[in-house]
DNA sequence: ATGTCGGATCATATCCGA
């Protein structure tokens, strides 16, 4: 079974691009983030034509998460309890024999901004929620845009970004706490020394210069087992058939479940 | 280059967020 996560940066603008990727990579379970649309505007019919049934937790203009599955997913959770004011950022379903979560973690803007402590608190609540729902003890995958570089190698400019947003010890401690629940970053486990990024700023030719960050992850519990392949789909950060890509590349993994 | 995107709005230009 192929699972994936992708921050699409606006599903209405990205739909044709997403369809190209779905046809090329044939995933079975996809966590989408940054839909930027309300539930009633989700393109169910077009995605059903591609062979997917979607569960959606949308929001007007900002945020919004969804899961694409091969069979009707059962919704287990919409939203991180206690954090509704930060928008639609979490959706958990039962699909493909897994608990499967799509998360769009808060950006935080900058250290010192009022959003930064909110980001840290959001991560603490995410860990609490996963623990309280017994997620680590079950076959589960949490996929999404975490807006944190867990280690120096996950940044194109670790030295220059020291103590800057996405690179702080505070954020890294919150991310590590998720792993300490009993989850593993599937990409990093299979590629322990590889520097690869999943996001590049649209501005300043960042992609061309490979000035990126690895901030999109598939976190899996022990019940999922080892992935036979995990890739960051850099090809799909490039234009496809003249269509503009998201600023994030998809990340996919082949798991045995 | 504070350089590009997507989306919303007292819209046809400017803002916000990333």
């Amino acid at each position: 079974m192929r699972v994936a996560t992708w921050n699409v940066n606006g599903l209405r603008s990205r739909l044709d691009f997403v369809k190209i990727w779905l046809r090329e990579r044939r995933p079975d379970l996809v966590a989408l983030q940054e839909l930027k649309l309300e539930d009633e505007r989700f393109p169910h019919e077009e995605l059903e034509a591609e062979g997917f049934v979607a569960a959606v937790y949308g929001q007007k203009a900002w945020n919004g998460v969804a899961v694409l599955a091969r069979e009707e997913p059962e919704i287990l959770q919409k939203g991180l309890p206690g954090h509704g004011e930060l928008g639609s950022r979490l959706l958990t379903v039962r699909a493909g024999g897994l608990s499967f979560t799509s998360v769009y973690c808060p950006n935080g803007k900058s250290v010192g901004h009022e959003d930064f402590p909110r980001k840290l608190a959001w991560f603490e609540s995410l860990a609490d929620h996963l623990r309280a729902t017994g997620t680590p003890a079950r076959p589960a995958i949490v996929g999404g845009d975490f807006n944190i570089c867990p280690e120096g190698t996950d940044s194109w400019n670790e030295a220059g970004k020291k103590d800057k947003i996405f690179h702080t010890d505070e954020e890294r401690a919150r991310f590590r706490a998720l792993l300490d629940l009993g989850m593993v970053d599937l990409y990093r486990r299979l590629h322990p020394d590889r520097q690869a990024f999943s996001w590049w700023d649209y501005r300043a030719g960042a992609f061309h210069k490979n000035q990126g960050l690895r901030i999109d992850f598939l976190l899996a519990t022990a019940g999922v087992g080892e992935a036979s392949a995990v890739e960051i789909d850099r090809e799909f950060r490039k234009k496809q058939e003249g269509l503009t890509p998201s600023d994030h590349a998809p990340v996919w993994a082949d798991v045995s479940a």
Side-chain angles (χ1 to χ4, degrees):
Chain A
M1 178 171 70
R2 179 165 289 179
V3 301
T5 183
W6 195 6
N7 178 324
V8 297
N9 188 24
L11 185 57
R12 279 171 287 168
S13 292
R14 205 71 58 220
L15 184 58
D16 289 340
F17 193 105
V18 169
K19 284 160 67 174
I20 293 169
W21 180 78
L22 292 172
R23 289 172 187 174
E24 187 81 20
R25 299 301 189 223
R26 301 256 152 223
D28 299 295
L29 206 44
V30 186
L32 298 176
Q33 301 89 37
E34 273 210 271
L35 306 179
K36 297 187 176 181
L37 51 74
E38 290 167 296
D39 288 9
E40 49 269 38
R41 301 187 71 169
F42 189 90
H44 286 284
E45 287 173 18
E46 288 205 62
L47 289 165
E48 278 165 20
E50 303 299 319
F52 294 95
V53 192
V56 183
Y57 184 40
Q59 177 187 334
K60 185 178 181 179
W62 312 116
N63 309 311
V65 288
V67 171
L68 306 182
R70 290 299 184 180
E71 300 190 2
E72 183 85 45
E74 176 195 354
I75 293 174
L76 300 178
Q77 181 72 32
K78 274 188 180 182
L80 184 60
H83 290 273
E85 79 286 352
L86 284 171
S88 301
R89 295 177 177 276
L90 180 145
L91 176 66
T92 298
V93 305
R94 177 157 295 285
L98 294 174
S99 163
F100 189 69
T101 299
S102 179
V103 284
Y104 177 44
C105 302
N107 177 295
K109 294 196 176 73
S110 61
V111 178
H113 193 282
E114 62 178 5
D115 282 7
F116 185 71
R118 290 182 186 154
K119 175 182 190 175
L120 300 180
W122 195 93
F123 272 92
E124 290 164 13
S125 291
L126 176 60
D128 290 344
H129 172 69
L130 293 173
R131 190 185 304 106
T133 50
T135 303
R138 298 202 296 255
I141 291 177
V142 179
D145 173 1
F146 288 76
N147 276 322
I148 293 176
C149 294
E151 297 166 20
T153 189
D154 297 314
S155 173
W156 70 277
N157 187 17
E158 171 68 5
K161 302 278 186 184
K162 181 114 182 86
D163 300 325
K164 297 286 203 296
I165 193 76
F166 294 19
H167 299 70
T168 68
D169 292 342
E170 293 98 321
E171 291 163 289
R172 287 172 174 173
R174 277 25 171 226
F175 183 79
R176 200 171 312 113
L178 297 177
L179 303 184
D180 289 345
L181 293 172
M183 309 194 78
V184 62
D185 170 355
L186 290 177
Y187 185 86
R188 187 50 80 213
R189 179 167 63 183
L190 205 59
H191 308 296
D193 301 315
R194 192 188 287 180
Q195 184 172 53
F197 307 131
S198 66
W199 173 85
W200 295 260
D201 201 308
Y202 282 125
R203 294 168 289 186
F207 181 71
H208 183 68
K209 294 185 270 187
N210 201 27
Q211 296 180 345
L213 306 173
R214 194 176 73 94
I215 56 176
D216 299 88
F217 312 113
L218 292 164
L219 306 185
T221 63
V224 174
E226 191 117 10
S228 57
V230 188
E231 296 298 338
I232 301 175
D233 223 336
R234 194 177 189 283
E235 272 307 294
F236 284 82
R237 179 59 179 75
K238 302 174 184 173
K239 274 194 172 178
Q240 300 289 329
E241 301 175 16
L243 299 171
T244 302
S246 170
D247 45 355
H248 295 252
V251 181
W252 58 260
D254 290 334
V255 297
S256 55

